[in-house]
Each structure stands twice: as C-alpha cells, then as structure tokens.
Amino acid sequence: MLSGVNFFGEVLILTDEIYMKLALEYAQKGCGWVNPNPMVGAVIVKDDRIIGAGYHHRYGGTHAERNALSSCTESPQGATLYVTLEPCCHMGKTPPCTGAIIESGIRRVVIGSFDENPLVKGKGVQILQKHKIEVTVGILQQECDKLNEVFFHFIRNKTPYVVLKYAMTMDRKIAARTGKSKWITGEAARERVQWDRHRYSGLMVGVDTILTDNPLLTCRLPDCKSPIRIICDTQLRTPLQAKVVQTAKQYGTILATCCTDDKKVRVYTEAGCEVLIVPQQDTHIDLRKLMNILGEKNMDSILVEGGGTLHWSAIKSGIVNKVQAYIAPKLFGGADAKTPIGGMGIEDPGEAFRLSPPSITMLGEDILLESQVV
C-alpha cells in the first residue's frame, strides 16, 4: 500500500489496484492497433509519485514497459513498475522487456496477467526474480485477463476469436417483412458497432448480405482502422459491381469460396480481392477450415455481422466464442420477418447452445447483451 498527497494537502492511500487500473487505461489506448499482439499498459511509481507511463501503440512497435521507461521524468532506480501483462523475455519484433527492466534498476514489478504465450508464460517472472526483483502477480487479474481475451484465445488455439453480433427488435426481428433493416438500433449502439469494427481484425458476412444490402463494411469512426472484410461466398456469386469488390484495393477483402474455376477467380483477384478456396461442408464452406486458414494469416479476431443463415452455420460449426445481441425497444411483427439465427435449428430444448450469464450495457435506448459461448 502506498500513500500520496492530493492538491488540498490531504493524505491519500494509493494501492496496487489503483495503479493497475491506470495501467489498464493506458493499455486500452492500443485497442485495434496492436492485433494480434496483446494490449499492454505500464505505470512506473517512485516515492509515491508516477514518474513514467506508456502502452503498446502498434503491432511491431515498442512494448509498453520500454515506452514507460523512456517517458520517465527521473531515474527509475528503486521504483515499482505496474504492468497489465507479464513482461516478455524472448526476442521478437523488439528486444525482451525483462532486460530493459533489469537494466533500469526497477526494484519491484506488479503484474496483472501471466502471458499465455508459451515462450513467455512464467519465464518472465522467473527471470526478474532471478535478478533479485520483487514480483507480485495477479493484481486485478480478472480485468487484465478480460482485456486480452482475444489474445489469449488466439495464442492458445491459433484460430481467430469469433464474435457473433446482431441487432434485433424486442420481438426478435432483424429486418421488417420487406427485408429493410435500417435502422433497428439508435446512434449510440451503432457507434459501438463501429468501434468493434476497429477493435477486431476481420468482419465476416455471407454473400446474401452483399446481394441484399451492398454494404461497404468499413469502420466509419475517425482515426480508426477498418477490418479485413471476409465474404463467405460458396459459389462465388458476389457481383463485381459490389462495393466490397470496387474498394478491394483500398480495404482488405477476402472471398472465401468453394469455387475452383480459375477464370472466375482471376476476375476477383485482378480487382484486388484475395480468394481463399475452402472445402465444402454440407451446402456451404467449412467454417472451421476457414478459421484455421485465417489463423495462419495471423488474423486474431472476427466480428460476424451476417444474416440468419450464416449465423446458424457459425453457431453450429462451433466457431463462435461470444454473442453480442443489441436489442431495440421496437416491434416489427410479421411471421416471415427475419430472425437473428436461421437454419434448421435444434430439435429439443435440451440441445440448446449454452451461453454464459450476459453482461448488460445500456446504449441510449438500446440494450447490449454479451455472453460467452460455453
């Protein structure tokens, strides 16, 4: 436990948790930019004063610990380093952070999460302890683990973390009986979706979404990146005039298909699309095989924004890790109006796909429910 003095001269008790919360705030600044690396933040405290702070800005860039050390306003000799993830101890795109910490004279290191990377897990802590640095692990571990749920899944499984997202009315409709769906939710919810497009590496839809809506599938927020667009198109029916094809040289675009017609494929590749030939399962592409291919391409996460057909295929194939359901206080009605999950569905309630108890977020008048697939 540490103490400090505020503007009014009052003594404050500053705990490890408070400094780790600050490190978490720094880590989140790298959201969307560091994939497939983890988000990491670091804060350096000496004599009850913050003398340095930093975070991992971009994939391939300097890590949080080194950024924090380089920002120090005085020598970090004898200071405490708070870092959300175990410092790396191997040579990657940058030198190991454990070396920089040891050389700096840091006395104590407080860590939120162990790094799940087999090259690091536990080894970073051991190296620091071997050099007589006091190490505390597990401060705000739940928050630190949640911050990097994508990274932990990807490093363990080598496949993308998949989020299935849909917006629906309170009577479970994702479109009116005419097929029109703009807009079900309000501005706050739609902005959150745009942020997730920045956050995750890929955005996946089915070809029916392209044929029906002709969407651009980019992130419309300023100073954010757009995801790689992935269109599941078994028979390669995406129109050459579609926005995703016309802008393929500007935004990464993948067509996942079972079509092996070289002449047909060449037209799309010449337009700037990457075409992935994926084995067929039943009447559509094998989504599990597609996830393996995308994982090999270092794609750590995918936001699925398709229709009921793709959603059912994704759930049935077992690739979905999280479900996001945006619920608007509206009623569309219509026995034939589309619902979020199509397909055959289950035969018995006992066969239901189970989800964790949802977290609940209010976004204007809309509600966001988020659950893990269990």
Side-chain angles (χ1 to χ4, degrees):
M1 185 175 292
L2 302 170
S3 64
V5 178
N6 69 7
F7 179 78
F8 300 102
E10 298 169 329
V11 176
L12 304 175
I13 302 301
L14 304 180
T15 65
D16 286 344
E17 286 78 8
I18 289 174
Y19 288 122
M20 189 61 75
K21 283 182 180 179
L22 182 58
L24 278 165
E25 290 177 11
Y26 272 95
Q28 289 167 353
K29 294 176 182 288
C31 184
W33 299 113
V34 301
N35 311 54
N37 280 356
M39 291 178 272
V40 185
V43 173
I44 299 173
V45 178
K46 184 175 183 179
D47 299 330
D48 306 335
R49 294 173 292 106
I50 296 174
I51 64 168
Y55 65 99
H56 183 32
H57 290 237
R58 301 263 178 160
Y59 175 68
T62 309
H63 288 186
E65 298 93 325
R66 289 180 177 270
N67 283 332
L69 287 167
S70 66
S71 77
C72 282
T73 56
E74 60 184 87
S75 170
Q77 183 80 32
T80 297
L81 167 68
Y82 294 85
V83 61
T84 56
L85 187 70
E86 179 181 9
C88 66
C89 55
H90 68 291
M91 177 64 74
K93 289 185 177 294
T94 60
C97 291
T98 49
I101 294 168
I102 293 165
E103 292 172 6
S104 72
I106 290 284
R107 177 186 61 83
R108 179 177 179 238
V109 176
V110 181
I111 298 169
S113 300
F114 276 111
D115 192 334
E116 290 293 328
N117 188 334
L119 296 174
V120 180
K121 189 173 184 179
K123 300 181 180 70
V125 169
Q126 292 174 4
I127 290 172
L128 295 175
Q129 291 175 329
K130 183 179 179 181
H131 286 81
K132 310 303 181 184
I133 295 174
E134 180 185 348
V135 180
T136 302
V137 182
I139 300 300
L140 297 187
Q141 182 173 349
Q142 185 174 354
E143 292 88 338
C144 292
D145 286 352
K146 183 174 177 55
L147 177 73
N148 282 310
E149 61 185 2
V150 167
F151 169 73
F152 291 144
H153 171 87
F154 183 65
I155 205 71
R156 292 186 195 119
N157 300 284
K158 308 302 181 186
T159 57
Y161 183 88
V162 178
V163 179
L164 176 64
K165 166 264 170 184
Y166 53 83
M168 67 180 184
T169 60
M170 287 182 67
D171 59 342
R172 302 182 302 108
K173 306 300 182 183
I174 61 171
R177 62 180 176 81
T178 58
K180 295 181 179 179
S181 59
K182 293 184 179 179
W183 295 103
I184 292 176
T185 54
E187 290 185 9
R190 297 201 299 271
E191 183 173 325
R192 168 61 185 266
V193 173
Q194 294 299 313
W195 173 253
D196 279 343
R197 288 186 178 187
H198 163 77
R199 176 183 182 183
Y200 299 116
S201 297
L203 173 59
M204 189 165 79
V205 301
V207 67
D208 287 343
T209 295
I210 303 299
L211 294 171
T212 302
D213 299 331
N214 192 21
L216 189 57
L217 302 178
T218 57
C219 177
R220 295 188 290 272
L221 297 179
D223 302 320
C224 286
K225 69 169 180 59
S226 287
I228 294 174
R229 303 170 299 186
I230 306 159
I231 295 89
C232 295
D233 186 356
T234 305
Q235 303 301 328
L236 210 52
R237 295 185 293 137
T238 299
L240 293 175
Q241 297 75 28
K243 291 178 182 177
V244 290
V245 177
Q246 293 296 308
T247 59
K249 293 181 179 179
Q250 184 178 358
Y251 303 104
T253 305
I254 293 174
L255 297 178
T257 183
C258 299
C259 177
T260 57
D261 184 332
D262 290 341
K263 187 175 181 180
K264 195 172 182 180
V265 167
R266 191 179 309 115
V267 176
Y268 291 98
T269 57
E270 288 175 352
C273 300
E274 180 179 3
V275 179
L276 298 180
I277 309 300
V278 183
Q280 185 166 328
Q281 182 182 55
D282 299 327
T283 59
H284 55 78
I285 66 172
D286 187 329
L287 291 176
R288 294 189 70 87
K289 292 288 187 182
L290 176 59
M291 293 305 108
N292 289 331
I293 295 170
L294 296 176
E296 290 172 359
K297 289 180 171 294
N298 231 17
M299 190 172 294
D300 69 343
S301 51
I302 293 172
L303 182 65
V304 179
E305 290 191 38
T309 301
L310 177 61
H311 290 176
W312 170 248
S313 296
I315 287 287
K316 186 180 178 183
S317 67
I319 68 168
V320 178
N321 302 104
K322 178 189 282 189
V323 175
Q324 292 181 331
Y326 291 83
I327 304 175
K330 299 175 182 178
L331 301 173
F332 282 0
D336 296 326
K338 295 180 180 179
T339 57
I341 311 293
M344 288 291 293
I346 61 169
E347 295 183 359
D348 186 274
E351 301 172 355
F353 295 93
R354 303 296 300 178
L355 305 177
S356 67
S359 65
I360 303 172
T361 304
M362 291 300 303
L363 296 165
E365 66 178 10
D366 305 312
I367 298 172
L368 169 60
L369 302 181
E370 293 183 281
S371 290
Q372 301 288 336
V373 178
V374 296

